[in-house]
Amino acid sequence: MFRFLSLQSRRRPSSMGAQRRYRHHGAVMAIRREDINPWERRAPLAPRHVKELTNDGVKVLVQPSNRRAIHEKYYMKAGAVMQEDISEASLIIGVKRPPEEKVIPRKTYAFFSHTIKAQEANMGLLDDLVKKEVRLIDYEKMVDANGYRIVAFGQWAGVTGMINILHGLGLRFLALGHHTPFMHIGMAHNYRNVSQAIQAVRDCGYEISMGLMPRSIGPITFCFTGTGNVSKGAQDIINELPVEYVEPLELKEASETGDMNKVYATVLSRHHHLVRKSDGIYDPMEYENHPELYTSHFRTSVAPYTTCLINGIYWDPHTPRLLRRLDAQRLIRPLKSSRVFYDGSPALPHKLLAICDISADAGGSIEFMNDCTTIDKPFCMYDADQHIDHNSVEGTGILMCSIDNLPAQLPIEATEYFGDRLFPYIWEMLLSDATKPLNEEEFSPQVRDAIITSNGALTPKFEYIEKMREKREKAQILKRTGMKRVLLLGSGYVSGPVVEYLTRDEKTQVTVVSVVLKQAEELAAKYPNTIPIMLDASSQEGHLDSLVKDHDLVISMLPYSFHPLIAKHCIRRKVNMVTASYLSPAMKELQGSVEEAGITIVNEMGLDPGIDHMLAMKCIDQAKADGCTVESYTSFCGGLPAPECSDNPLRYKFSWSPYGVLLNTISPAIFLRDGEVVSIPAGGDLMDSATTMDFFPGFNLEGFPNRDSTKYAEPYGIQTAHTLIRGTLRFKGFSRAMGGFVKLGLINAGPSPVLQDPTSAISWKELLCQQMGLSSSISQEAFEEAVYKQTGEDQFRMDSLRWLGMLCDDPVPHADTVLAALAKHLEAKLSFAKGERDLIVMRNDVGIRHPTGELETREISLVVYGEPNGFSAMAKTVGYPAAIAARMVLDGEISTKGLVLPMTKDIYGPALARLKEEGLHIISKSTVQE
């Protein structure tokens, strides 16, 4: 058997590949490191394949990996270049999927993506490949004219799976009170090579032939489903035992009266168990086109007489299942026997003891195989009566083995085998240019039909994947009736309190949407009635519209620029909406459409804007009710690190968007001071306007105005005020350090080609020299002197840049703009460490003139600390207001149609009371001047 596999693995490449080789001189390809699964030791090509490529002038890069079973010295000997950076390659191949963050844009990749059935776990990868304009060739879809896979590990999956299940049978028999020869067979990966494994199986077979199987267990029978490579590989192993093959209908007799000095096997083809539901006939042509018309009688004709089922068939949702849960319940009922058994030689509880589902198709042909097992935990027991799995070989049920990366257990032979099948197609893959339209490429049908993504989209053949995703999501969302359904767009910093608050009501269901599926899953796992979904609202409008349609309310925690797009879908589907962002001009333009649709869109329901509005209006409305006039209004708010965590030059850490924080430093500002309109132009003067805020002297705060404060005179109803300022709070030192960035031109949102190129890196020194118009070859001393002058000869700014690692040769993060690169750098340097907490400080000072002439200054303060192992202060003060507004809309407390702000008593009254219940305590003091 081993000799057969070895000979088969040395087939020569196709003539088409040989004819094309002359075109490949100078081509560069890479074999990437496998880094998803610790057991993955395979490679897509072996050293002898690499040698043939390098001999023909192809440069082959191989990422170093101590985990790879074939040592790197053999690849180097074959002419490969071992290096970490593989961005030079136009073709990058692997076995399994790469992590999203390691995918290089606009390259051709080849690997098993496991996306063709819209597998939820890999949809994040698929979206990333589309976004990065990667051309993906999926080995699983490389088939011949008859639809059979031509690049696969199938035979080695069968070999490995069979070795494993024989080991598992030994353990299961032992748990049931029987020592058997199967105990001497180990897991496949415990053998240096397949020859050693085969010898163990042969030794087991010898003992069986000597009559050493316990008589009380009766004849052992195996059933192999399918006739493809998987089934053949498994049969190659069992052929090393004393085995007799019988027809499926003969299995009953063999299981009852067979010879104990051998085992019995049957191979199940379609015609053995599939019949038309209407008349019990099997028509192979009709079945190909209409499998839904057929059912399987395997559960009654073969399964009751099978000791171990080895399943290797591909399952499609339209095809009949082999076994269902109900079937498993029947198959584990105790056997009836007239024989007398003793404690030392007990009877088996039932005939079907084990299933090796090599197809590893969760919920597929074996309906109750819901989760794959793993190489380190290969077996579980399925208790059909309880419908639960438990990690053991003991107890009630059927032993299950369903490892989805079986060939990784025999990685060297599997690599050789797979490489021989892939190698003929490498030559045309090398010619792929992912930046060119797919229709301009010349691929064979085998490669062309396996391309899932190209040029930023799913290829036409695979567009169905998106529909499958939406159908599955819809079924999940609508599964429970009588629920109020909330669509939460965004799973970032502030979404946790939103989900936590809303799901306190068992009749509310939240769908959390994120561009990063893992984030949504982590959030959803913490709360009941929460469903995670991945979506890029900027590029998947159809999907977004479908989701909006299936919900009662949408909460958008996305950047404000997305809100008009989302609002348009809410208008179209007549679905209410809540946001925590400012009401932008683009949103205001939708007022008429929102009213016409009869929906409510609550805006500015966060911290700032949000809580600041509600506190202002509560105070202002009360003053007016008392016959007073508001003469001044100042409001400052800031999200900060707690003082003990402010240990950096900016005295700041990021719990909000770094990009937005930086961009705000060059924004213009307008405010009213003592009856005079003060205007600060855009471009950086804002940082120079920062002043000391001493209302909490222990905090050492500074503040600067925020955007246009004067526009709030009318909605607040305080046109009589001579002072109106809304501003931002920071710890002292922030504005000074930020001013240095401004003077160096780093707050620049214009495109930066030098930072966009992923194949080249630029250092901070080189970037700053470029910003200042200097040669990067100047000495470090001259460079620092130039920076010192550019930043206004401010030593504090120099110390800040040095602390942040921006006066050296450290690389600048790749980004589209200098501003985006700086945001990435600061986020890495100034993020909150585990156990650190943030702080929210808000202060409103309202000057109120009483009818008696007295001037009252009402000081309204909010100070909130984050919880090191809970929600941040920012999350609480943004998330809870949005969640409270959402609940009020869902329950009909907010019923006004159109664009709504939280500035009326019917909203701010209940909302502020409920925020107090969440631990957000407002402190209000007054001082009066005669």
Side-chain angles (χ1 to χ4, degrees), residues 552-566:
D552 302 302
L553 180 129
V554 175
I555 302 174
S556 177
M557 289 298 181
L558 299 178
Y560 75 93
S561 58
F562 284 90
H563 294 161
L565 169 68
I566 296 158

mmCIF file with all atom_site columns, all heavy atoms in Angstrom, residues 552-566:
data_model
loop_
_atom_site.group_PDB
_atom_site.id
_atom_site.type_symbol
_atom_site.label_atom_id
_atom_site.label_alt_id
_atom_site.label_comp_id
_atom_site.label_asym_id
_atom_site.label_entity_id
_atom_site.label_seq_id
_atom_site.pdbx_PDB_ins_code
_atom_site.Cartn_x
_atom_site.Cartn_y
_atom_site.Cartn_z
_atom_site.occupancy
_atom_site.B_iso_or_equiv
_atom_site.pdbx_formal_charge
_atom_site.auth_seq_id
_atom_site.auth_comp_id
_atom_site.auth_asym_id
_atom_site.auth_atom_id
_atom_site.pdbx_PDB_model_num
ATOM 1   N N   . ASP A 1 552 ? -36.300 46.184 14.098 1.00 0.00 ? 552 ASP A N   1
ATOM 2   C CA  . ASP A 1 552 ? -37.249 47.228 14.499 1.00 0.00 ? 552 ASP A CA  1
ATOM 3   C C   . ASP A 1 552 ? -36.562 48.563 14.736 1.00 0.00 ? 552 ASP A C   1
ATOM 4   O O   . ASP A 1 552 ? -37.214 49.613 14.695 1.00 0.00 ? 552 ASP A O   1
ATOM 5   C CB  . ASP A 1 552 ? -37.968 46.808 15.793 1.00 0.00 ? 552 ASP A CB  1
ATOM 6   C CG  . ASP A 1 552 ? -38.706 45.491 15.630 1.00 0.00 ? 552 ASP A CG  1
ATOM 7   O OD1 . ASP A 1 552 ? -39.569 45.413 14.743 1.00 0.00 ? 552 ASP A OD1 1
ATOM 8   O OD2 . ASP A 1 552 ? -38.395 44.541 16.373 1.00 0.00 ? 552 ASP A OD2 1
ATOM 9   N N   . LEU A 1 553 ? -35.261 48.520 15.008 1.00 0.00 ? 553 LEU A N   1
ATOM 10  C CA  . LEU A 1 553 ? -34.535 49.751 15.301 1.00 0.00 ? 553 LEU A CA  1
ATOM 11  C C   . LEU A 1 553 ? -33.061 49.538 14.977 1.00 0.00 ? 553 LEU A C   1
ATOM 12  O O   . LEU A 1 553 ? -32.517 48.450 15.177 1.00 0.00 ? 553 LEU A O   1
ATOM 13  C CB  . LEU A 1 553 ? -34.702 50.128 16.777 1.00 0.00 ? 553 LEU A CB  1
ATOM 14  C CG  . LEU A 1 553 ? -33.993 51.410 17.232 1.00 0.00 ? 553 LEU A CG  1
ATOM 15  C CD1 . LEU A 1 553 ? -34.950 52.321 17.971 1.00 0.00 ? 553 LEU A CD1 1
ATOM 16  C CD2 . LEU A 1 553 ? -32.815 51.084 18.138 1.00 0.00 ? 553 LEU A CD2 1
ATOM 17  N N   . VAL A 1 554 ? -32.419 50.590 14.493 1.00 0.00 ? 554 VAL A N   1
ATOM 18  C CA  . VAL A 1 554 ? -30.991 50.551 14.189 1.00 0.00 ? 554 VAL A CA  1
ATOM 19  C C   . VAL A 1 554 ? -30.270 51.534 15.100 1.00 0.00 ? 554 VAL A C   1
ATOM 20  O O   . VAL A 1 554 ? -30.701 52.687 15.247 1.00 0.00 ? 554 VAL A O   1
ATOM 21  C CB  . VAL A 1 554 ? -30.727 50.926 12.713 1.00 0.00 ? 554 VAL A CB  1
ATOM 22  C CG1 . VAL A 1 554 ? -29.222 51.000 12.441 1.00 0.00 ? 554 VAL A CG1 1
ATOM 23  C CG2 . VAL A 1 554 ? -31.380 49.926 11.770 1.00 0.00 ? 554 VAL A CG2 1
ATOM 24  N N   . ILE A 1 555 ? -29.195 51.076 15.746 1.00 0.00 ? 555 ILE A N   1
ATOM 25  C CA  . ILE A 1 555 ? -28.312 51.962 16.502 1.00 0.00 ? 555 ILE A CA  1
ATOM 26  C C   . ILE A 1 555 ? -26.984 51.991 15.762 1.00 0.00 ? 555 ILE A C   1
ATOM 27  O O   . ILE A 1 555 ? -26.355 50.949 15.565 1.00 0.00 ? 555 ILE A O   1
ATOM 28  C CB  . ILE A 1 555 ? -28.073 51.464 17.940 1.00 0.00 ? 555 ILE A CB  1
ATOM 29  C CG1 . ILE A 1 555 ? -29.390 51.319 18.682 1.00 0.00 ? 555 ILE A CG1 1
ATOM 30  C CG2 . ILE A 1 555 ? -27.138 52.404 18.683 1.00 0.00 ? 555 ILE A CG2 1
ATOM 31  C CD1 . ILE A 1 555 ? -29.249 50.702 20.073 1.00 0.00 ? 555 ILE A CD1 1
ATOM 32  N N   . SER A 1 556 ? -26.560 53.174 15.347 1.00 0.00 ? 556 SER A N   1
ATOM 33  C CA  . SER A 1 556 ? -25.285 53.279 14.639 1.00 0.00 ? 556 SER A CA  1
ATOM 34  C C   . SER A 1 556 ? -24.228 53.864 15.554 1.00 0.00 ? 556 SER A C   1
ATOM 35  O O   . SER A 1 556 ? -24.324 55.006 15.997 1.00 0.00 ? 556 SER A O   1
ATOM 36  C CB  . SER A 1 556 ? -25.412 54.140 13.384 1.00 0.00 ? 556 SER A CB  1
ATOM 37  O OG  . SER A 1 556 ? -24.138 54.265 12.768 1.00 0.00 ? 556 SER A OG  1
ATOM 38  N N   . MET A 1 557 ? -23.208 53.049 15.822 1.00 0.00 ? 557 MET A N   1
ATOM 39  C CA  . MET A 1 557 ? -22.031 53.511 16.544 1.00 0.00 ? 557 MET A CA  1
ATOM 40  C C   . MET A 1 557 ? -20.844 53.636 15.588 1.00 0.00 ? 557 MET A C   1
ATOM 41  O O   . MET A 1 557 ? -19.693 53.647 16.024 1.00 0.00 ? 557 MET A O   1
ATOM 42  C CB  . MET A 1 557 ? -21.696 52.538 17.681 1.00 0.00 ? 557 MET A CB  1
ATOM 43  C CG  . MET A 1 557 ? -22.692 52.598 18.818 1.00 0.00 ? 557 MET A CG  1
ATOM 44  S SD  . MET A 1 557 ? -22.715 54.238 19.584 1.00 0.00 ? 557 MET A SD  1
ATOM 45  C CE  . MET A 1 557 ? -23.923 53.997 20.878 1.00 0.00 ? 557 MET A CE  1
ATOM 46  N N   . LEU A 1 558 ? -21.151 53.751 14.310 1.00 0.00 ? 558 LEU A N   1
ATOM 47  C CA  . LEU A 1 558 ? -20.121 53.950 13.298 1.00 0.00 ? 558 LEU A CA  1
ATOM 48  C C   . LEU A 1 558 ? -19.752 55.437 13.238 1.00 0.00 ? 558 LEU A C   1
ATOM 49  O O   . LEU A 1 558 ? -20.467 56.283 13.779 1.00 0.00 ? 558 LEU A O   1
ATOM 50  C CB  . LEU A 1 558 ? -20.637 53.486 11.932 1.00 0.00 ? 558 LEU A CB  1
ATOM 51  C CG  . LEU A 1 558 ? -21.029 52.008 11.818 1.00 0.00 ? 558 LEU A CG  1
ATOM 52  C CD1 . LEU A 1 558 ? -21.567 51.725 10.425 1.00 0.00 ? 558 LEU A CD1 1
ATOM 53  C CD2 . LEU A 1 558 ? -19.853 51.100 12.144 1.00 0.00 ? 558 LEU A CD2 1
ATOM 54  N N   . PRO A 1 559 ? -18.662 55.788 12.574 1.00 0.00 ? 559 PRO A N   1
ATOM 55  C CA  . PRO A 1 559 ? -18.331 57.212 12.402 1.00 0.00 ? 559 PRO A CA  1
ATOM 56  C C   . PRO A 1 559 ? -19.498 57.969 11.757 1.00 0.00 ? 559 PRO A C   1
ATOM 57  O O   . PRO A 1 559 ? -20.257 57.417 10.954 1.00 0.00 ? 559 PRO A O   1
ATOM 58  C CB  . PRO A 1 559 ? -17.112 57.160 11.481 1.00 0.00 ? 559 PRO A CB  1
ATOM 59  C CG  . PRO A 1 559 ? -16.468 55.844 11.777 1.00 0.00 ? 559 PRO A CG  1
ATOM 60  C CD  . PRO A 1 559 ? -17.607 54.902 12.038 1.00 0.00 ? 559 PRO A CD  1
ATOM 61  N N   . TYR A 1 560 ? -19.605 59.244 12.111 1.00 0.00 ? 560 TYR A N   1
ATOM 62  C CA  . TYR A 1 560 ? -20.776 60.037 11.702 1.00 0.00 ? 560 TYR A CA  1
ATOM 63  C C   . TYR A 1 560 ? -20.964 60.087 10.187 1.00 0.00 ? 560 TYR A C   1
ATOM 64  O O   . TYR A 1 560 ? -22.080 60.247 9.684  1.00 0.00 ? 560 TYR A O   1
ATOM 65  C CB  . TYR A 1 560 ? -20.668 61.463 12.255 1.00 0.00 ? 560 TYR A CB  1
ATOM 66  C CG  . TYR A 1 560 ? -19.664 62.341 11.534 1.00 0.00 ? 560 TYR A CG  1
ATOM 67  C CD1 . TYR A 1 560 ? -20.059 63.162 10.485 1.00 0.00 ? 560 TYR A CD1 1
ATOM 68  C CD2 . TYR A 1 560 ? -18.312 62.343 11.888 1.00 0.00 ? 560 TYR A CD2 1
ATOM 69  C CE1 . TYR A 1 560 ? -19.148 63.959 9.815  1.00 0.00 ? 560 TYR A CE1 1
ATOM 70  C CE2 . TYR A 1 560 ? -17.399 63.131 11.228 1.00 0.00 ? 560 TYR A CE2 1
ATOM 71  C CZ  . TYR A 1 560 ? -17.818 63.935 10.183 1.00 0.00 ? 560 TYR A CZ  1
ATOM 72  O OH  . TYR A 1 560 ? -16.911 64.714 9.503  1.00 0.00 ? 560 TYR A OH  1
ATOM 73  N N   . SER A 1 561 ? -19.871 59.936 9.438  1.00 0.00 ? 561 SER A N   1
ATOM 74  C CA  . SER A 1 561 ? -19.979 60.014 7.975  1.00 0.00 ? 561 SER A CA  1
ATOM 75  C C   . SER A 1 561 ? -20.835 58.895 7.401  1.00 0.00 ? 561 SER A C   1
ATOM 76  O O   . SER A 1 561 ? -21.335 59.003 6.276  1.00 0.00 ? 561 SER A O   1
ATOM 77  C CB  . SER A 1 561 ? -18.582 59.989 7.341  1.00 0.00 ? 561 SER A CB  1
ATOM 78  O OG  . SER A 1 561 ? -17.876 58.817 7.720  1.00 0.00 ? 561 SER A OG  1
ATOM 79  N N   . PHE A 1 562 ? -21.012 57.799 8.153  1.00 0.00 ? 562 PHE A N   1
ATOM 80  C CA  . PHE A 1 562 ? -21.826 56.681 7.683  1.00 0.00 ? 562 PHE A CA  1
ATOM 81  C C   . PHE A 1 562 ? -23.324 56.914 7.906  1.00 0.00 ? 562 PHE A C   1
ATOM 82  O O   . PHE A 1 562 ? -24.159 56.248 7.295  1.00 0.00 ? 562 PHE A O   1
ATOM 83  C CB  . PHE A 1 562 ? -21.428 55.390 8.399  1.00 0.00 ? 562 PHE A CB  1
ATOM 84  C CG  . PHE A 1 562 ? -20.148 54.779 7.913  1.00 0.00 ? 562 PHE A CG  1
ATOM 85  C CD1 . PHE A 1 562 ? -18.940 55.120 8.491  1.00 0.00 ? 562 PHE A CD1 1
ATOM 86  C CD2 . PHE A 1 562 ? -20.144 53.866 6.865  1.00 0.00 ? 562 PHE A CD2 1
ATOM 87  C CE1 . PHE A 1 562 ? -17.749 54.556 8.055  1.00 0.00 ? 562 PHE A CE1 1
ATOM 88  C CE2 . PHE A 1 562 ? -18.968 53.297 6.421  1.00 0.00 ? 562 PHE A CE2 1
ATOM 89  C CZ  . PHE A 1 562 ? -17.768 53.634 7.009  1.00 0.00 ? 562 PHE A CZ  1
ATOM 90  N N   . HIS A 1 563 ? -23.670 57.825 8.805  1.00 0.00 ? 563 HIS A N   1
ATOM 91  C CA  . HIS A 1 563 ? -25.057 57.929 9.239  1.00 0.00 ? 563 HIS A CA  1
ATOM 92  C C   . HIS A 1 563 ? -26.039 58.285 8.135  1.00 0.00 ? 563 HIS A C   1
ATOM 93  O O   . HIS A 1 563 ? -27.143 57.733 8.102  1.00 0.00 ? 563 HIS A O   1
ATOM 94  C CB  . HIS A 1 563 ? -25.162 58.908 10.412 1.00 0.00 ? 563 HIS A CB  1
ATOM 95  C CG  . HIS A 1 563 ? -24.470 58.399 11.646 1.00 0.00 ? 563 HIS A CG  1
ATOM 96  N ND1 . HIS A 1 563 ? -24.098 59.220 12.683 1.00 0.00 ? 563 HIS A ND1 1
ATOM 97  C CD2 . HIS A 1 563 ? -24.058 57.157 11.986 1.00 0.00 ? 563 HIS A CD2 1
ATOM 98  C CE1 . HIS A 1 563 ? -23.501 58.491 13.612 1.00 0.00 ? 563 HIS A CE1 1
ATOM 99  N NE2 . HIS A 1 563 ? -23.458 57.249 13.212 1.00 0.00 ? 563 HIS A NE2 1
ATOM 100 N N   . PRO A 1 564 ? -25.714 59.203 7.218  1.00 0.00 ? 564 PRO A N   1
ATOM 101 C CA  . PRO A 1 564 ? -26.682 59.467 6.140  1.00 0.00 ? 564 PRO A CA  1
ATOM 102 C C   . PRO A 1 564 ? -26.995 58.235 5.301  1.00 0.00 ? 564 PRO A C   1
ATOM 103 O O   . PRO A 1 564 ? -28.152 57.996 4.935  1.00 0.00 ? 564 PRO A O   1
ATOM 104 C CB  . PRO A 1 564 ? -25.974 60.545 5.302  1.00 0.00 ? 564 PRO A CB  1
ATOM 105 C CG  . PRO A 1 564 ? -25.057 61.226 6.265  1.00 0.00 ? 564 PRO A CG  1
ATOM 106 C CD  . PRO A 1 564 ? -24.580 60.146 7.178  1.00 0.00 ? 564 PRO A CD  1
ATOM 107 N N   . LEU A 1 565 ? -25.974 57.418 5.019  1.00 0.00 ? 565 LEU A N   1
ATOM 108 C CA  . LEU A 1 565 ? -26.193 56.185 4.262  1.00 0.00 ? 565 LEU A CA  1
ATOM 109 C C   . LEU A 1 565 ? -27.125 55.252 5.021  1.00 0.00 ? 565 LEU A C   1
ATOM 110 O O   . LEU A 1 565 ? -28.091 54.714 4.458  1.00 0.00 ? 565 LEU A O   1
ATOM 111 C CB  . LEU A 1 565 ? -24.842 55.496 4.006  1.00 0.00 ? 565 LEU A CB  1
ATOM 112 C CG  . LEU A 1 565 ? -24.901 54.059 3.466  1.00 0.00 ? 565 LEU A CG  1
ATOM 113 C CD1 . LEU A 1 565 ? -25.446 54.054 2.044  1.00 0.00 ? 565 LEU A CD1 1
ATOM 114 C CD2 . LEU A 1 565 ? -23.521 53.411 3.514  1.00 0.00 ? 565 LEU A CD2 1
ATOM 115 N N   . ILE A 1 566 ? -26.854 55.071 6.300  1.00 0.00 ? 566 ILE A N   1
ATOM 116 C CA  . ILE A 1 566 ? -27.677 54.172 7.106  1.00 0.00 ? 566 ILE A CA  1
ATOM 117 C C   . ILE A 1 566 ? -29.084 54.723 7.246  1.00 0.00 ? 566 ILE A C   1
ATOM 118 O O   . ILE A 1 566 ? -30.074 53.995 7.165  1.00 0.00 ? 566 ILE A O   1
ATOM 119 C CB  . ILE A 1 566 ? -27.017 53.973 8.484  1.00 0.00 ? 566 ILE A CB  1
ATOM 120 C CG1 . ILE A 1 566 ? -25.666 53.272 8.301  1.00 0.00 ? 566 ILE A CG1 1
ATOM 121 C CG2 . ILE A 1 566 ? -27.914 53.173 9.409  1.00 0.00 ? 566 ILE A CG2 1
ATOM 122 C CD1 . ILE A 1 566 ? -24.712 53.480 9.449  1.00 0.00 ? 566 ILE A CD1 1
#
